[in-house]
Amino acid sequence: MVSLSMHYPKLLAFLQLIYPSLFEELAHYSSKSDLVEAKLISANYLNSYQAIVFSEGETRNGEIFKIIPKYSFVSPYSWDWRWVFALSLKYDNNTIFPIKFQQKVIALPTGKHPLSTVFFNNLNNEFTKEIHKLIELLDRDNTLITEAYESYLNSVHI
């Protein structure tokens, strides 16, 4: 069985693209090989990131969106305002970070448009909280970051 910890550099790369300060926090705990892989991925991701967004109504089972992290679209298309309560980040169809949070109204792009940094700016506090939980798990169990990450992945069920 393949270890879930192999996806950790993909999370690091995502954080480097979207939440650089959270990337810096985790970088202190990360191995050099994970950091090198993350930098390569963030430089050459080629639309490999997706998110399954869970919201109320017809899309309660999740809706898949591509993620374009380097671009911040102000309003290139129409928005669908929804009560969102979870999302699952994916890299090449592998879950790299599931996150649940209290419902909040967030604008999602309509049609086949991707998520951009505009969407993730609304979830800054939620990502910060979950990354800090990961660091607390690491410190509490006195373990490697990859082991804490794998434990986190196994503990969050959407």
Side-chain angles (χ1 to χ4, degrees):
M1 182 176 168
V2 177
S3 172
L4 293 174
S5 64
M6 70 179 256
H7 300 304
Y8 176 69
K10 285 97 175 154
L11 171 63
L12 280 175
F14 175 81
L15 293 175
Q16 186 175 25
L17 292 166
I18 302 291
Y19 302 113
S21 63
L22 293 176
F23 168 79
E24 291 300 326
E25 284 187 59
L26 283 182
H28 296 292
Y29 300 98
S30 302
S31 70
K32 287 185 182 184
S33 63
D34 286 339
L35 292 172
V36 168
E37 185 178 349
K39 289 180 188 221
L40 287 171
I41 291 169
S42 66
N44 303 299
Y45 65 91
L46 299 175
N47 300 324
S48 297
Y49 285 101
Q50 297 176 316
I52 299 178
V53 178
F54 298 89
S55 60
E56 292 298 330
E58 296 175 19
T59 57
R60 184 162 182 82
N61 292 326
E63 184 176 356
I64 296 176
F65 291 90
K66 286 187 177 187
I67 300 173
I68 306 295
K70 290 199 175 197
Y71 302 103
S72 180
F73 304 113
V74 177
S75 186
Y77 40 80
S78 62
W79 300 96
D80 182 10
W81 291 89
R82 290 194 228 150
W83 285 98
V84 176
F85 60 88
L87 72 100
S88 179
L89 287 179
K90 294 186 167 287
Y91 182 88
D92 283 340
N93 294 317
N94 294 303
T95 299
I96 62 167
F97 201 69
I99 182 171
K100 291 169 72 172
F101 46 87
Q102 284 212 315
Q103 278 189 342
K104 61 190 303 180
V105 175
I106 300 179
L108 295 168
T110 59
K112 299 278 185 205
H113 296 289
L115 297 176
S116 66
T117 53
V118 172
F119 173 81
F120 291 101
N121 287 343
N122 291 315
L123 294 174
N124 183 48
N125 291 338
E126 287 76 8
F127 270 88
T128 300
K129 180 180 165 188
E130 294 304 308
I131 295 299
H132 287 166
K133 278 185 189 177
L134 184 62
I135 291 171
E136 288 171 17
L137 183 64
L138 166 74
D139 290 339
R140 184 190 74 212
D141 294 345
N142 196 23
T143 186
L144 297 173
I145 186 65
T146 52
E147 292 171 353
Y149 170 72
E150 190 168 350
S151 178
Y152 175 85
L153 286 180
N154 287 325
S155 70
V156 177
H157 302 285
I158 299 177

